[in-house]
C-alpha cells in the first residue's frame, strides 16, 4: 500500500549534509590561480571624491592590482532598479563603485586584488583618497523640505503613489470615533547566517559566477545587461546559500565588479564580506513612518481607513526598492470590511544604505499598522480587542471576497483559526489573571497581544505584476526527467536558501508519479542545469515553483500513458494510474512508470511519432496570489519598575492551505516569529547625526538568541487555496508578518493602566521605562 507523501513530516534530505559541514558555500570555493578582492569603502555619508591614489597599494607584497571607481567608469554601468512604480519616479544612476560622489557610509570607492584576502585587506589601507564633505540627509521629513540638502540633483523625493477606493471623505464625516496614530517602522539589518560572497571563474570570454544569491536567473540577465557580456556566456551558480530573507534578492555592486575584475585580469576572483561590512552594505529593511487614520461607528464597525507613508529609500533605488512599501498598499485593510480606503506613499532619498526586500517586504509593515490601530480602537471604545476584530472581519461564508483595496481573497476561515488559538492560549484565564494583577497593583503587569492577519504571497501572476510595472513576470519553471533505472531527477527554477525545496519537491513528485520518496533527486540553483526560472522570494517557491513541478509530472504521466497503452495493447482510455502503475481496467495487466521509463530509453517498441523519453517540463503562472492567514496571540509580562518585557507564552494558528511537510512548515513559522519578535523587542539600525552607522557589529546590533525566545505553541487550520491544484499557500513570511504587532500590542496592553498608549519599536527596557515616566508626568 502506497503511503501519501504530501502531509508527512519528513526530515529534510538536505540536513545531513548541511549539518555535518559537507556544504558548498561560495566562500568554500577554491579555483586554480584565484585572486581575492577587498573593497575600500567610504567613511562619509555624503561627499565629493576629489582625489584617489591607489599606487601605494599596487607595490605591496601579493597585490596584483588596485583600482578606483574612475578605472571602471566606462564599463561598470548602473545597478538596476526593476520596479519603476510611478510616472514621477526618479531613478538615479547607481555606479557599482563610486566615481565622483559618495552617498552613504560603506559605498565602495576602490578595491585591491591580491593573492589572499589578508594581503588585500592590508593593502587597502595604503590607498589615499580625499573627500569634500557634503551635508548628510538623514530625516525623511526634513529631506522633503525645499531647503534640504539634496542627495541627488533631482531632489530627495523618489516618487509618490496613491490608491483610493470608496468615498473616504464621507466615511470620516461625522464618524463617532476617529483613531489617529503615527507609527515608526525602524530600520532593520538582515543578518543571514552566511555572509554574502561572490566568485567568478573565467574561460576565455565565458564566465561562471558563484554567488550567495536568491536569484541566479535574474542575476544572470542583469549581469549581461550591465556588463555587455552576452547572456549565453555567463553561467550563474547559487550553491548552498545560508539564508537570505530578501537580503540576497539583489543585484549587488560586488557581483558586477567581480565579473569586471575577472574579465580585466583574466583570472578567477573571489570576494567574501565580513559581518561588519555586511551590516554596512547589505540592503536594509523597513524604515517607514506610518500615519494612520481609522474611522468607526460607536459599536466598533469600521467605516474608513487612511494611510500615508514616508518610506526611506536610502541613497539609491536598488532592484525592487521602490515597490517594497507598495506590497502592503492593498493589505492595510487586512481581513476587515470597510466602506472606504485611501493609501499614499512618498519614497524619500536619504544618505543611508538603500532599503529593499526583507522578510515579509511591505506586508509586516501594513499588518503592524492595522493591528496596532485595531487595538487602539478597542481601547477607545472600551471593548475587548478580539471582539472589535470579530465585528469587522470577513466571514468564512463570504469567500471569495473582493476587499475595499481591490484584492480578491479566494479562501479563508478567520473564525476557525481564531477559536483554535484562543483555546490553546487560555485567553479568558489570562484576562482574569491580568485583571487580578491590575487590581493588586502588581509591579509586573500582564499584557495580551492579538494579531489576526492575512498576507498576499506567491508573488507570481505575471499579468498583475505587469500592471504594477514590475520588470519581469512571476511564472516558474520545472522539469522532470525519468532516468532509465526508474529514478527521477527534478529541475526547479526556484532556488532555495534554507526552505527545504529538495524535500518538499521530492514529496510532491513521489505522490504524483507513485515512486519512492528516496528515488527523487532535486537539482537547482545553476543556470546551466535549471535554464529557466524566476527564483525565490515572496513565499512563491511552493505556490508557483512546486506547482510547475507538479504540472511537469502530469505531462510525464501523459507520455507514459501513451507508451503503456501501446505495450499493453489497449486504448489509453482503458488505463487507470494508481500507486505508480498504469493498469488495464478489469485485468491484472499493468506497467509501472519505472518500467515505462526503461522502455522509453531502449526505444525497442515505441508507438509511431513517440520520442524515446518521458521527460517533461512545465511553466506555471497562477491567476491570483495566495492568501494565508491566521491568529497569533502573545502574553507578555512587563516589569513597570525596570521596563523589562518578557514573553511568557506565544500561540500561533496559521492557515497555509494544504501542508506538504508539517515539519518544514513549523520551522518556517518558528523562524518567522523569531524575526518578528526581534523587530518588536530587539533590533534597530542606528545612524548618528553625521550619517555613520553605529550598529555595525553583533555587539551593537542586538539579535535575539534561542535563550531570549519562548517556546512557540503552533497549530493550523486548513482552507485550501483555489488558485493552484495542490491548494497550497505560502508560509515563509507568515510568522514575521503576524508576530510583531502581537508582541507590541501585548506590551502596550500591559501598560495601558499606567496611561501608556504606544511604545516605539524596539520595545527595549529603556523605551518602556521612558514611556512609563512620560505617562506619570
Amino acid at each position: 500500500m502506497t503511503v501519501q507523501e504530501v502531509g508527512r513530516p519528513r526530515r529534510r534530505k538536505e540536513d545531513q549534509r548541511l549539518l555535518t559541514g559537507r556544504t558548498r558555500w561560495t566562500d568554500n570555493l577554491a579555483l586554480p590561480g584565484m585572486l581575492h578582492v577587498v573593497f575600500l569603502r567610504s567613511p562619509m555619508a555624503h561627499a565629493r571624491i576629489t582625489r584617489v591614489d591607489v599606487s601605494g597599494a599596487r607595490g605591496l607584497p601579493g597585490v596584483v592590482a588596485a583600482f578606483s571607481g574612475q578605472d571602471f567608469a566606462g564599463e561598470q554601468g548602473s545597478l538596476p532598479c526593476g520596479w519603476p512604480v510611478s510616472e514621477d519616479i526618479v531613478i538615479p544612476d547607481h555606479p557599482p563603485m563610486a566615481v565622483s560622489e559618495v552617498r552613504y557610509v560603506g559605498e565602495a570607492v576602490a578595491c585591491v586584488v591580491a593573492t589572499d584576502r589578508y594581503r588585500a585587506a592590508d593593502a587597502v589601507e595604503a590607498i589615499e583618497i580625499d573627500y569634500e564633505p557634503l551635508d548628510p540627509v538623514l530625516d525623511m521629513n526634513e529631506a522633503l523640505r525645499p531647503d534640504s540638502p539634496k542627495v541627488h540633483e533631482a531632489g530627495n523625493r523618489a516618487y509618490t503613489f496613491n490608491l483610493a477606493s470608496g468615498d473616504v471623505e464621507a466615511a470620516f464625516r461625522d464618524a463617532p470615533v476617529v483613531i489617529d496614530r503615527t507609527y515608526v517602522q525602524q530600520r532593520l539589518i538582515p543578518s543571514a547566517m552566511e555572509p554574502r560572497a561572490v566568485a567568478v571563474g573565467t574561460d576565455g570570454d565565458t564566465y561562471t559566477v558563484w554567488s550567495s544569491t536568491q536569484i541566479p536567473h535574474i542575476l544572470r540577465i542583469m549581469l549581461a545587461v550591465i556588463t555587455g557580456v552576452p547572456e549565453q556566456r555567463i553561467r550563474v551558480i547559487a550553491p548552498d546559500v545560508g539564508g537570505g530573507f530578501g537580503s540576497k534578492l539583489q543585484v549587488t555592486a560586488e557581483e558586477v565588479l567581480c565579473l569586471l575584475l575577472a574579465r580585466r585580469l583574466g583570472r578567477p576572483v573571489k570576494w567574501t564580506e565580513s559581518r561588519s561590512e555586511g551590516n554596512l552594505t547589505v540592503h536594509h529593511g523597513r524604515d517607514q513612518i506610518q500615519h494612520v487614520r481609522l474611522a468607526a461607528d460607536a459599536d466598533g464597525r469600521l467605516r474608513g481607513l487612511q494611510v500615508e507613508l514616508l518610506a526611506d529609500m536610502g541613497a539609491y533605488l536598488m532592484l525592487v526598492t521602490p515597490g517594497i512599501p507598495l506590497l502592503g498598499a492593498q493589505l492595510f485593510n487586512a481581513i476587515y470590511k470597510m466602506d472606504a480606503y485611501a493609501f499614499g506613499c512618498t519614497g524619500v532619498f536619504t544618505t543611508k544604505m538603500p532599503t529593499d526586500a526583507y522578510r515579509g517586504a511591505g506586508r509586516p509593515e501594513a499588518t503592524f499598522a492595522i493591528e496596532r490601530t485595531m487595538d487602539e480602537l478597542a481601547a477607545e471604545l472600551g471593548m475587548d480587542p478580539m471582539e472589535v476584530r470579530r465585528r469587522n472581519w470577513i466571514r468564512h461564508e463570504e469567500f471569495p471576497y473582493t476587499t475595499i483595496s481591490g484584492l480578491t481573497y479566494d479562501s479563508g476561515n478567520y473564525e476557525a483559526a481564531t477559536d483554535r488559538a484562543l483555546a490553546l492560549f487560555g485567553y479568558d484565564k489570562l484576562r482574569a489573571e491580568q485583571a487580578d494583577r491590575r487590581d493588586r497593583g502588581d509591579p509586573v503587569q500582564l499584557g495580551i497581544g492579538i494579531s489576526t492577519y492575512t498576507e498576499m504571497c506567491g508573488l507570481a501572476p505575471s499579468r498583475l505584476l505587469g500592471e504594477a510595472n514590475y520588470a519581469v513576470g512571476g511564472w516558474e519553471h520545472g522539469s522532470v526527467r525519468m532516468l532509465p533505472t526508474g529514478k527521477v531527477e527534478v529541475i526547479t527554477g526556484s532556488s532555495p536558501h534554507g526552505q527545504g525545496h529538495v524535500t518538499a519537491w521530492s514529496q510532491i513528485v513521489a505522490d504524483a508519479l507513485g515512486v519512492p520518496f528516496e528515488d527523487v533527486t532535486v537539482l537547482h540553483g545553476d543556470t546551466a542545469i535549471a535554464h529557466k526560472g524566476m527564483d525565490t522570494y515572496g513565499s512563491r517557491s511552493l505556490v508557483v515553483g512546486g506547482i510547475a513541478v507538479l504540472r511537469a509530472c502530469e505531462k510525464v504521466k501523459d507520455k507514459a500513458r501513451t507508451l503503456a497503452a501501446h505495450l499493453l495493447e489497449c486504448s489509453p482510455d482503458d488505463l487507470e494510474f494508481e500507486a505508480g502503475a498504469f493498469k488495464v481496467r478489469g485485468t491484472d495487466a499493468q506497467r509501472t512508470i519505472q518500467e515505462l521509463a526503461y522502455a522509453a530509453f531502449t526505444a525497442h517498441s515505441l508507438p509511431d511519432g513517440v520520442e524515446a523519453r518521458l521527460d517533461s517540463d512545465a511553466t506555471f503562472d497562477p491567476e491570483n496570489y495566495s492568501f494565508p492567514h491566521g491568529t497569533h496571540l502573545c502574553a507578555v509580562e512587563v516589569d513597570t519598575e525596570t521596563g523589562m518585557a518578557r514573553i511568557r507564552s506565544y500561540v500561533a494558528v496559521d492557515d497555509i492551505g494544504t501542508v506538504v511537510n508539517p515539519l518544514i512548515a513549523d520551522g518556517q513559522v518558528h523562524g518567522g516569529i523569531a524575526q518578528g519578535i526581534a523587530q518588536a523587542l530587539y533590533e534597530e539600525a542606528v545612524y548618528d547625526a553625521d550619517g555613520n552607522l553605529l550598529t555595525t557589529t553583533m555587539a551593537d546590533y542586538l539579535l535575539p538568541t534561542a535563550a531570549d525566545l519562548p517556546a512557540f505553541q503552533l497549530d493550523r487550520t486548513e482552507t485550501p487555496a483555489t488558485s493552484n491544484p495542490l491548494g497550497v499557500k505560502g508560509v515563509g513570511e507568515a510568522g514575521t508578518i503576524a508576530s510583531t504587532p502581537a508582541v507590541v500590542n501585548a506590551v502596550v496592553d500591559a501598560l495601558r493602566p499606567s496611561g501608556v498608549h504606544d511604545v516605539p519599536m524596539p520595545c527595549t527596557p529603556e523605551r518602556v521605562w521612558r514611556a512609563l515616566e512620560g505617562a506619570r508626568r
Side-chain angles (χ1 to χ4, degrees):
M1 179 178 178
T2 302
V3 178
Q4 181 169 314
E5 283 291 341
V6 169
R8 291 186 68 185
R10 283 277 193 180
R11 290 192 175 186
R12 302 196 318 175
K13 288 183 174 182
E14 304 93 319
D15 287 348
Q16 177 66 27
R17 182 173 53 81
L18 293 173
L19 294 176
T20 55
R22 294 179 290 114
T23 51
R24 297 185 299 270
W25 311 119
T26 299
D27 189 48
N28 290 353
L29 192 68
L31 301 173
M34 187 167 68
L35 303 173
H36 297 261
V37 184
V38 171
F39 292 99
L40 179 65
R41 300 189 180 276
S42 170
M44 307 195 73
H46 198 195
R48 293 189 184 92
I49 300 172
T50 59
R51 184 180 74 94
V52 182
D53 183 356
V54 300
S55 60
R58 287 173 174 162
L60 294 177
V63 172
V64 175
F67 300 102
S68 68
Q70 189 62 50
D71 293 321
F72 286 105
E75 59 181 307
Q76 67 176 343
S78 179
L79 295 177
C81 173
W83 201 346
V85 296
S86 67
E87 292 184 0
D88 69 346
I89 194 168
V90 175
I91 304 179
D93 284 343
H94 185 183
M97 192 183 296
V99 176
S100 59
E101 190 170 328
V102 292
R103 293 181 172 88
Y104 64 92
V105 172
E107 190 167 3
V109 294
C111 69
V112 170
V113 187
T115 53
D116 67 57
R117 63 187 297 187
Y118 305 104
R119 286 178 168 177
D122 289 342
V124 158
E125 301 296 326
I127 295 175
E128 296 179 7
I129 184 164
D130 294 335
Y131 299 96
E132 177 189 326
L134 300 171
D135 291 331
V137 179
L138 303 169
D139 180 273
M140 284 190 279
N141 284 300
E142 291 295 319
L144 295 175
R145 291 171 57 93
D147 58 350
S148 171
K150 292 182 178 180
V151 181
H152 299 281
E153 189 58 35
N156 298 334
R157 188 184 300 269
Y159 69 87
T160 54
F161 179 93
N162 293 286
L163 172 71
S165 178
D167 191 336
V168 176
E169 184 179 342
F172 279 83
R173 187 187 308 123
D174 301 325
V177 182
V178 174
I179 305 298
D180 191 319
R181 296 290 186 270
T182 298
Y183 307 111
V184 175
Q185 291 280 330
Q186 78 271 36
R187 180 174 281 244
L188 302 178
I189 301 175
S191 301
M193 183 177 293
E194 179 205 14
R196 293 179 300 142
V198 185
V200 181
T202 176
D203 181 10
D205 60 354
T206 300
Y207 304 90
T208 300
V209 179
W210 289 264
S211 182
S212 179
T213 181
Q214 298 175 218
I215 53 167
H217 298 90
I218 294 172
L219 177 59
R220 182 192 191 202
I221 295 167
M222 292 301 178
L223 287 175
V225 171
I226 295 166
T227 66
V229 177
E231 184 182 353
Q232 74 274 19
R233 300 202 177 278
I234 299 174
R235 176 185 182 185
V236 175
I237 301 173
D240 293 323
V241 177
F245 315 114
S247 70
K248 296 171 183 175
L249 166 56
Q250 196 55 263
V251 178
T252 68
E254 295 84 5
E255 288 164 331
V256 173
L257 292 168
C258 283
L259 177 55
L260 295 177
L261 287 165
R263 179 168 70 177
R264 182 170 292 201
L265 299 174
R267 292 179 62 178
V269 301
K270 183 168 72 173
W271 167 80
T272 301
E273 74 179 3
S274 67
R275 183 62 71 179
S276 57
E277 188 178 26
N279 278 22
L280 281 171
T281 61
V282 169
H283 70 244
H284 292 175
R286 313 292 191 250
D287 208 344
Q288 296 179 7
I289 300 173
Q290 306 171 309
H291 183 205
V292 181
R293 297 180 72 235
L294 183 68
D297 289 330
D299 62 358
R301 189 189 73 84
L302 302 185
R303 294 163 61 114
L305 176 65
Q306 289 180 309
V307 177
E308 283 292 335
L309 300 185
L310 291 183
D312 194 334
M313 305 286 99
Y316 300 98
L317 302 184
M318 298 192 76
L319 191 61
V320 290
T321 298
I324 296 305
L326 308 186
L327 285 171
Q330 293 178 283
L331 287 171
F332 280 87
N333 51 290
I335 65 173
Y336 307 116
K337 297 180 286 187
M338 58 189 70
D339 303 324
Y341 173 59
F343 171 88
C345 178
T346 300
V348 183
F349 290 117
T350 61
T351 53
K352 303 177 194 173
M353 180 65 205
T355 56
D356 210 309
Y358 181 52
R359 196 170 189 169
R363 290 151 294 165
E365 298 94 310
T367 301
F368 180 87
I370 187 61
E371 289 302 291
R372 281 287 297 113
T373 307
M374 291 299 284
D375 262 33
E376 294 301 297
L377 174 62
E380 180 72 18
L381 294 173
M383 293 176 60
D384 184 286
M386 187 60 81
E387 178 58 28
V388 170
R389 288 167 168 82
R390 286 186 186 277
R391 291 189 183 188
N392 288 285
W393 67 36
I394 303 157
R395 298 187 305 275
H396 70 275
E397 65 268 17
E398 296 179 285
F399 288 95
Y401 186 90
T402 300
T403 71
I404 190 66
S405 66
L407 292 175
T408 299
Y409 298 169
D410 62 330
S411 68
N413 190 328
Y414 309 140
E415 303 97 309
T418 299
D419 289 345
R420 180 61 181 149
L422 291 172
L424 289 172
F425 192 61
Y427 186 81
D428 292 339
K429 186 176 179 180
L430 284 169
R431 283 293 185 199
E433 180 186 341
Q434 179 186 62
D436 178 63
R437 289 194 186 204
R438 289 178 177 180
D439 291 342
R440 290 188 287 107
D442 194 323
V444 178
Q445 287 291 308
L446 178 65
I448 297 169
I450 298 169
S451 177
T452 50
Y453 79 99
T454 192
E455 61 156 318
M456 171 189 75
C457 68
L459 191 63
S462 296
R463 172 180 52 82
L464 297 180
L465 294 179
E467 292 172 1
N469 217 25
Y470 192 68
V472 296
W475 51 265
E476 194 49 85
H477 189 74
S479 300
V480 175
R481 300 172 182 164
M482 294 299 302
L483 304 181
T485 56
K487 311 302 183 185
V488 184
E489 278 185 347
V490 175
I491 300 93
T492 177
S494 179
S495 183
H497 44 280
Q499 296 94 332
H501 287 41
V502 171
T503 303
W505 275 220
S506 295
Q507 291 179 265
I508 292 170
V509 171
D511 278 355
L513 298 181
V515 298
F517 170 80
E518 295 77 13
D519 285 359
V520 184
T521 298
V522 180
L523 307 177
H524 56 78
D526 183 340
T527 60
I529 296 172
H531 67 284
K532 291 181 67 176
M534 279 295 179
D535 305 317
T536 301
Y537 43 87
S539 298
R540 69 188 302 275
S541 294
L542 176 60
V543 180
V544 191
I547 304 304
V549 169
L550 178 65
R551 286 197 163 183
C553 288
E554 296 303 319
K555 290 184 177 182
V556 167
K557 287 194 292 185
D558 288 343
K559 290 182 178 181
R561 179 182 294 273
T562 300
L563 179 55
H566 174 73
L567 295 176
L568 293 168
E569 300 179 343
C570 68
S571 167
D573 296 336
D574 293 333
L575 295 173
E576 57 186 10
F577 185 75
E578 182 183 350
F582 286 95
K583 303 175 181 179
V584 181
R585 290 186 181 90
T587 75
D588 294 330
Q590 69 172 37
R591 289 288 190 278
T592 68
I593 200 159
Q594 290 96 333
E595 291 170 336
L596 294 169
Y598 186 74
F601 168 71
T602 62
H604 292 163
S605 179
L606 295 179
D608 292 340
V610 172
E611 295 181 346
R613 66 189 188 101
L614 301 182
D615 306 347
S616 298
D617 62 1
T619 299
F620 179 63
D621 195 347
E623 295 183 358
N624 195 7
Y625 305 107
S626 72
F627 299 96
H629 69 83
T631 297
H632 287 218
L633 302 173
C634 180
V636 171
E637 292 180 332
V638 180
D639 189 325
T640 59
E641 295 176 344
T642 66
M644 177 62 74
R646 183 185 70 86
I647 299 176
R648 192 171 101 177
S649 61
Y650 194 102
V651 167
V653 177
D654 297 291
D655 190 323
I656 57 172
T658 302
V659 179
V660 173
N661 186 311
L663 198 61
I664 291 177
D666 285 350
Q668 289 287 323
V669 174
H670 276 210
I673 293 172
Q675 284 180 279
I677 290 173
Q679 179 174 6
L681 298 180
Y682 299 103
E683 295 186 36
E684 183 176 26
V686 179
Y687 285 84
D688 69 13
D690 295 320
N692 297 301
L693 182 66
L694 301 180
T695 49
T696 57
T697 72
M698 292 297 186
D700 308 304
Y701 188 80
L702 183 57
L703 293 172
T705 68
D708 299 307
L709 299 171
F712 307 131
Q713 190 170 2
L714 307 185
D715 203 352
R716 278 180 287 273
T717 55
E718 185 176 311
T719 52
T722 63
S723 56
N724 65 77
L726 275 181
V728 294
K729 305 176 183 180
V731 67
E733 296 161 303
T736 304
I737 290 167
S739 57
T740 307
V743 175
V744 176
N745 276 340
V747 172
V748 174
D749 185 54
L751 303 178
R752 280 198 194 278
S754 300
V756 174
H757 300 286
D758 192 33
V759 179
M761 293 188 292
C763 301
T764 61
E766 179 184 352
R767 286 186 175 170
V768 171
W769 183 85
R770 289 188 181 279
L772 284 164
E773 287 299 298
R776 287 170 186 146
R777 292 194 201 99

